[in-house]
Amino acid sequence: THMEAQIQILQTNRTSMEAQIQTLQTEKSQMTSQIHSLQDENAVLKSNLSQTNQRFNTICRDNKICLVGGGNNREGRVEVFYGNDWGTICDDGWASHPGNAKVICRMMGYSTSNARWWSSAPFGQGTGTIALDGVHCTGSESDIWSCTHNAFGDNDCGHNEDVGVSCA
């Protein structure tokens, strides 16, 4: 009988331990799910932070034009405001129209003497509308809208062609 009592105690302990193991396995599964959820949330936050940091490194003029993502306030991806939308400018044709960069620098209030343009989104790719394509400036225009260009939004570009400008 003493032996039977010991066996009964051991069986009760075993049942209790099995229940505890099951509880721990359930908690582990829930924690793993929470970890995956936090990792997903962390990825979203990192993406948002990257976009925010890029926006903080933005200089705008007269709420019409911005240089975004440059290493200083005199360079960046060119974004223009037209109607109710911000958009980038495609780099198509800029090689044959060095006056384009001068007009951007003039709009930003900077000297045009060392205006330089950059192709292929060197300051990061924009999102949304590609506002202008086929921009042809002589360099004497007061703003980009006075230059010859395709209609707003009419382009054959991807954001990998967003133009950048530096106004040293």
Side-chain angles (χ1 to χ4, degrees):
T1 62
H2 179 65
M3 184 73 103
E4 290 174 353
Q6 289 289 333
I7 292 173
Q8 184 64 32
I9 290 171
L10 289 174
Q11 286 176 339
T12 302
N13 286 345
R14 179 179 175 198
T15 303
S16 175
M17 289 166 121
E18 287 173 347
Q20 288 175 356
I21 289 171
Q22 184 62 37
T23 300
L24 290 172
Q25 286 175 336
T26 300
E27 288 176 1
K28 177 186 173 193
S29 176
Q30 290 171 345
M31 290 175 133
T32 300
S33 178
Q34 288 175 344
I35 287 170
H36 289 299
S37 178
L38 288 171
Q39 287 172 333
D40 291 345
E41 186 177 333
N42 188 41
V44 169
L45 290 173
K46 281 183 179 179
S47 174
N48 289 345
L49 179 61
S50 174
Q51 292 173 3
T52 300
N53 283 341
Q54 190 177 58
R55 265 292 170 204
F56 274 130
N57 201 15
T58 299
I59 185 78
C60 297
R61 181 75 176 208
D62 299 328
N63 209 24
K64 294 179 187 173
I65 187 167
C66 295
L67 297 179
V68 180
N72 61 61
N73 66 354
R74 292 181 177 265
E75 68 178 12
R77 179 180 63 251
V78 181
E79 295 193 8
V80 293
F81 189 75
Y82 181 80
N84 291 320
D85 200 12
W86 282 95
T88 60
I89 299 178
C90 182
D91 63 13
D92 289 356
W94 281 59
S96 58
H97 295 89
N100 293 357
K102 289 182 178 185
V103 173
I104 298 298
C105 292
R106 182 175 296 112
M107 287 181 73
M108 292 297 299
Y110 300 135
S111 167
T112 62
S113 60
N114 292 316
R116 186 169 174 198
W117 67 276
W118 305 88
S119 64
S120 305
F123 301 106
Q125 295 184 19
T127 59
T129 303
I130 298 174
L132 293 175
D133 187 17
V135 177
H136 302 143
C137 303
T138 65
S140 62
E141 297 87 350
S142 61
D143 60 51
I144 200 80
W145 308 112
S146 300
C147 302
T148 303
H149 55 77
N150 295 0
F152 183 83
D154 179 15
N155 67 82
D156 60 353
C157 304
H159 282 293
N160 60 315
E161 298 175 80
D162 289 343
V163 76
V165 167
S166 61
C167 308

